[in-house]
Amino acid sequence: MSKTNTKPIAFVRDAMLAEQTPPVLASGPLAWVKRNLFDGVFNSILTLVAIYFVYLIVSGAFPWFYNGVWSTNSLAECREILQGKTGGCFSVLTERWPQLLFGFKYPSEEYWRPTVAFFALFFAAAPVLFNKLPRKMLIITAIFPLVAFWLIWGGSLIVPVMVALGLIVGYVVFTKLEYQSFAMGLIGGILATVIFWSFMGYVTEPLSDVLALEPVPSRDMGGFMLNFILGVVCVSLSLPLGIMLALGRQSDMLIIKWICVVFIEFIRGVPLITLLFVANVVLGYFLPPGSNFDLILRVIIMITMFSAAYIAEVVRGGLAALPKGQAEAAGSLGLDYAQSMRLIILPQALKISIPGIVNVAVGLFKDTVLVSVISMFDLVGMIRGPILASTEWNGVYWELWLAAVLFFFPICYGISQYSQWLERQLATGHR
Amino acid sequence: MAEANLQVSDEVAISIENMNKWYGAFHVLRDIDLTVYRGERIVICGPSGSGKSTLIRCINALEEHQQGRIEVDGTVLSSDIKNIDKIRSEVGMCFQHFNLFPHLTILENCTLAPIWVRKTPKKEAEELAMHFLEKVKIPEQADKYPGQLSGGQQQRVAIARSLCMQPRIMLFDEPTSALDPEMIKEVLDTMIELAEEGMTMLCVTHEMGFARQVANRVIFMDQGQIVEQNEPEEFFNNPQSERTQLFLSQILGH
């Protein structure tokens, strides 16, 4: 026999409860240490072991840095000074610094040119990276590639100016024809540009001394400068190309769709080194004999295609993650395909794709050292080749590779921090 | 059936003749004939899968029909993209899941289409947007993002967003089905207000109270066909077809 419930079940709350502050937790540095480091026997042991490991690493590395030698002319001299003590021979860095930066053939009296281009890059990239800066700064971004090309490769300023004019001519033709159809505008624009360029070839030939810097051929580029050029150019080219491939893959037009699918799948199925060897050796057989198709340009094309294929897949993921309703809503408001892509779909899809795109960009930047296997003297090529092979510095491994780490790490880490910052900026509530 | 009794004006807004649509081999819409006159408020109901959403989505070409003729506001709907864009800018649409643009503020959601499609100057578009946001009674949310609003508020923004294009016809695709019960009324009130101003409306909805109060014609669809259509009073009190009777007893019975 269960006891009858004498409590009435009807209940009416006559006053709503006020909000209360959460209970105060133990705080202060000691409490923090106790909770996070010495919480129980097992955790305390782990903490002590971890501290011992850190001590081992630091105590091993510290004398190497502290006793480091910075001002000798060869490894032998370093060893003389150190006399068996642990210590780094950092003088290889001071002595070969220009070679690490610019390679061993770039004329030393022209080092200022890539340096200026490097610092100008910050002004050119800023308006692209930070939305809040005035939009007029994009003019710098538009001019920068031509100026940078002129500074680094030298030659007459007329050449980049004509390249720019060709692009403008193409754009004007495009806008004129765009009203008839987008495809016609595109084809017309590209044709106009190519025709303009081929005619201007005759004009720039006799004017090659006007406003000319001493020309530096591509094969003289080297050091970290080469990695940086390849990284910046390929990232900025592969992003738009990747987006176009991703859109093409989703296209209703079967031929375009299949071209994109085959391109993406083929490129993704081939190692980058293979593509670089193709760029270096095999392309030469297909080009007309005597034509001197620039090696850096060939490498840029290959790396760009490679990372564009990856970016296309990342962006495709972003596009697929968007609910179908977004495109329908844009369509139902009367926006055409280009508008709805530019204003509604891509901003959201790219936001979702940021981590993936950054992943590809960082990977691409690091993969630029692979050009050392096709005997280009980038940072790694310089270290392995001319520097380590020299009689003075044969055997200085740690210092040089540490320098390579310090070249790459800040940039890659910076890119990933920027992307996290960007994601926070773009967060607008849910999705 | 005496359709003449139902019409509120002589001007034809939408005419659909002999329209058929298939999803693959599945025949979703069968021989649809429908004439909507200017100022009519039509409620379309029917069991799920009966093709009612597909029907109104064909009107602004979100779905393609394979046979028959659709004419909206004097423009024949064909595969010509120019015609489609023209019709879409004249026909507003509200979706079950609102489909606001989450990366844009409420105000930007509303000004986007006027600025890009109608080429309205930004300032004018913003005034227009604020006007319609006031009409749906949420001007104070203009600077927020959709994710910060309740479902009912989002749906009212979606209505305001469509109205900013100053459409002559509004399509509603189950506008209250995804809402909490507390929020259904605020959206229906907005729709009722719109109807009273004489907007031509086609609503797919199961809100039978709304149908009784606002509609001048109720259409019942089943298996891709129009089974019955009538004035609301007649439709609810005296349904003719057996299928309609069954449907009404199921949705009104509880």
Side-chain angles (χ1 to χ4, degrees):
Chain A
M1 284 263 105
S2 64
K3 234 171 77 179
T4 31
N5 190 0
T6 50
K7 234 173 148 189
I9 49 167
F11 167 77
V12 180
R13 184 177 292 289
D14 40 19
M16 300 304 270
L17 297 177
E19 246 181 66
Q20 294 179 345
T21 49
V24 183
L25 298 166
S27 57
L30 270 181
W32 183 90
V33 167
K34 171 93 177 63
R35 194 167 61 245
N36 291 296
L37 299 179
F38 297 101
D39 185 16
V41 179
F42 183 67
N43 285 355
S44 302
I45 293 172
L46 275 187
T47 302
L48 290 176
V49 169
I51 289 175
Y52 179 64
F53 264 106
V54 173
Y55 165 77
L56 276 186
I57 292 170
V58 171
S59 66
F62 179 73
W64 190 66
F65 283 107
Y66 183 74
N67 296 332
V69 181
W70 291 86
S71 53
T72 56
N73 287 320
S74 72
L75 182 59
E77 285 179 41
C78 273
R79 293 204 169 122
E80 232 166 75
I81 293 177
L82 287 168
Q83 299 195 324
K85 277 187 297 180
T86 313
C89 185
F90 299 111
S91 33
V92 64
L93 303 180
T94 45
E95 205 237 8
R96 296 296 176 109
W97 181 248
Q99 291 194 352
L100 289 171
L101 278 182
F102 302 107
F104 64 121
K105 281 196 206 144
Y106 205 91
S108 56
E109 62 276 16
E110 309 290 347
Y111 283 162
W112 64 272
R113 282 159 40 182
T115 313
V116 169
F118 175 73
F119 286 108
L121 172 69
F122 290 99
F123 291 94
V128 180
L129 299 180
F130 302 102
N131 222 352
K132 292 209 175 73
L133 292 173
R135 296 292 87 195
K136 279 185 185 151
M137 275 182 77
L138 284 171
I139 296 171
I140 305 179
T141 315
I143 298 173
F144 173 77
L146 303 165
V147 174
F149 173 82
W150 178 58
L151 280 172
I152 295 173
W153 271 267
S156 166
L157 184 60
I158 302 288
V159 175
V161 167
M162 285 306 162
V163 169
L165 279 180
L167 290 175
I168 292 171
V169 166
Y171 180 73
V172 169
V173 172
F174 168 72
T175 49
K176 292 274 183 255
L177 291 176
E178 193 198 1
Y179 288 105
Q180 300 188 19
S181 90
F182 182 82
M184 212 171 135
L186 200 64
I187 293 168
I190 292 172
L191 265 183
T193 303
V194 170
I195 292 170
F196 183 88
W197 282 347
S198 36
F199 272 106
M200 285 309 123
Y202 301 107
V203 179
T204 49
E205 199 74 31
L207 292 176
S208 57
D209 288 335
V210 182
L211 287 170
L213 292 170
E214 190 198 326
V216 182
S218 280
R219 64 175 178 279
D220 289 358
M221 308 283 157
F224 190 62
M225 177 182 74
L226 181 59
N227 296 113
F228 202 78
I229 293 173
L230 290 175
V232 171
V233 173
C234 295
V235 167
S236 31
L237 290 180
S238 62
L239 187 58
L241 185 63
I243 293 172
M244 282 197 280
L245 283 170
L247 292 180
R249 192 171 184 163
Q250 294 212 321
S251 170
D252 292 334
M253 287 175 276
L254 269 187
I255 296 183
I256 291 185
K257 181 182 169 149
W258 283 109
I259 289 175
C260 292
V261 169
V262 168
F263 180 90
I264 291 170
E265 296 302 335
F266 177 75
I267 297 282
R268 289 204 315 157
V270 177
L272 178 56
I273 294 200
T274 318
L275 290 179
L276 290 177
F277 277 119
V278 170
N280 188 25
V281 188
V282 186
L283 266 188
Y285 295 123
F286 292 106
L287 295 169
S291 71
N292 187 17
F293 197 50
D294 193 281
L295 179 60
I296 289 190
L297 189 57
R298 282 186 260 167
V299 168
I300 284 177
I301 290 173
M302 285 303 179
I303 298 181
T304 302
M305 290 197 324
F306 187 77
S307 52
Y310 279 87
I311 287 181
E313 286 300 277
V314 172
V315 173
R316 187 170 71 109
L319 289 170
L322 280 194
K324 208 168 155 242
Q326 290 292 311
E328 288 180 351
S332 78
L333 286 168
L335 270 64
D336 60 31
Y337 175 81
Q339 287 170 337
S340 90
M341 278 299 151
R342 194 161 86 72
L343 301 166
I344 306 299
I345 306 300
L346 281 180
Q348 297 183 61
L350 290 181
K351 189 182 119 193
I352 302 172
S353 324
I354 288 174
I357 291 175
V358 168
N359 219 0
V360 174
V362 169
L364 180 159
F365 186 63
K366 291 184 296 182
D367 281 352
T368 56
V369 300
L370 287 178
V371 298
S372 62
V373 302
I374 54 167
S375 49
M376 287 173 88
F377 291 102
D378 73 316
L379 182 61
V380 168
M382 280 308 295
I383 293 175
R384 285 181 31 173
I387 298 180
L388 277 178
S390 66
T391 45
E392 297 94 333
W393 301 113
N394 190 349
V396 194
Y397 292 102
W398 284 88
E399 294 81 353
L400 284 167
W401 294 121
L402 180 72
V405 167
L406 292 181
F407 271 113
F408 278 97
F409 179 74
I411 292 176
C412 295
Y413 184 68
I415 297 174
S416 94
Q417 286 300 305
Y418 168 76
S419 85
Q420 289 180 19
W421 175 84
L422 188 64
E423 273 180 75
R424 284 196 299 275
Q425 290 291 303
L426 295 177
T428 61
H430 82 304
R431 287 195 69 88
Chain B
M1 193 180 349
E3 202 171 284
N5 299 340
L6 303 176
Q7 74 186 67
V8 291
S9 103
D10 288 337
E11 196 187 340
V12 174
I14 303 169
S15 88
I16 301 174
E17 287 163 25
N18 222 350
M19 191 251 283
N20 279 281
K21 174 171 175 64
W22 290 263
Y23 282 131
F26 178 55
H27 200 172
V28 261
L29 291 177
R30 308 180 192 175
D31 281 345
I32 303 286
D33 278 302
L34 178 66
T35 307
V36 180
Y37 296 93
R38 176 84 51 224
E40 270 203 293
R41 287 92 50 196
I42 296 178
V43 164
I44 304 171
C45 59
S48 69
S50 60
K52 49 197 191 315
S53 286
T54 313
L55 170 61
I56 68 166
R57 287 158 62 88
C58 281
I59 293 173
N60 67 352
L62 286 183
E63 303 278 355
E64 215 178 335
H65 62 285
Q66 279 94 31
Q67 245 175 41
R69 183 170 185 279
I70 301 179
E71 188 177 326
V72 182
D73 239 358
T75 310
V76 177
L77 192 58
S78 57
S79 55
D80 187 347
I81 289 180
K82 275 189 187 130
N83 279 3
I84 292 178
D85 283 343
K86 179 160 184 292
I87 287 175
R88 283 178 174 175
S89 62
E90 302 296 337
V91 179
M93 181 153 190
C94 286
F95 300 86
Q96 183 177 4
H97 296 290
F98 334 131
N99 297 349
L100 293 180
F101 306 130
H103 61 303
L104 302 176
T105 64
I106 300 305
L107 188 66
E108 287 165 344
N109 264 278
C110 293
T111 54
L112 184 89
I115 289 175
W116 289 90
V117 182
R118 293 250 190 272
K119 314 288 177 204
T120 315
K122 187 168 179 238
K123 196 146 180 294
E124 234 173 87
E126 280 175 357
E127 281 164 15
L128 189 74
M130 286 314 291
H131 168 75
F132 284 113
L133 285 174
E134 264 158 41
K135 201 176 149 98
V136 301
K137 303 190 182 63
I138 31 177
E140 71 281 0
Q141 314 282 11
D143 294 326
K144 291 196 183 165
Y145 285 94
Q148 297 166 293
L149 268 54
S150 74
Q153 289 172 325
Q154 290 195 40
Q155 192 59 291
R156 284 185 284 152
V157 171
I159 295 174
R161 177 177 71 178
S162 302
L163 292 179
C164 283
M165 286 297 280
Q166 298 178 305
R168 308 187 68 187
I169 299 164
M170 283 288 291
L171 308 173
F172 292 88
D173 188 1
E174 307 206 28
T176 56
S177 311
L179 294 177
D180 291 339
E182 279 179 312
M183 294 167 183
I184 291 177
K185 187 174 178 297
E186 61 186 57
V187 171
L188 289 181
D189 284 346
T190 309
M191 289 168 64
I192 291 169
E193 202 179 308
L194 205 56
E196 282 165 357
E197 286 168 17
M199 174 71 76
T200 311
M201 292 165 67
L202 273 85
C203 313
V204 173
T205 180
H206 293 132
E207 295 295 331
M208 290 306 145
F210 172 79
R212 277 175 191 271
Q213 189 183 344
V214 178
N216 66 318
R217 177 157 39 143
V218 181
I219 292 175
F220 175 71
M221 287 184 72
D222 189 26
Q223 294 174 12
Q225 305 156 62
I226 296 182
V227 175
E228 187 165 349
Q229 57 174 322
N230 213 332
E231 303 171 34
E233 281 308 308
E234 275 294 297
F235 179 84
F236 289 113
N237 298 337
N238 189 16
Q240 298 298 312
S241 111
E242 214 171 285
R243 190 67 194 84
T244 317
Q245 288 161 3
L246 180 66
F247 177 75
L248 286 177
S249 74
Q250 274 165 346
I251 64 163
L252 299 174
H254 56 82

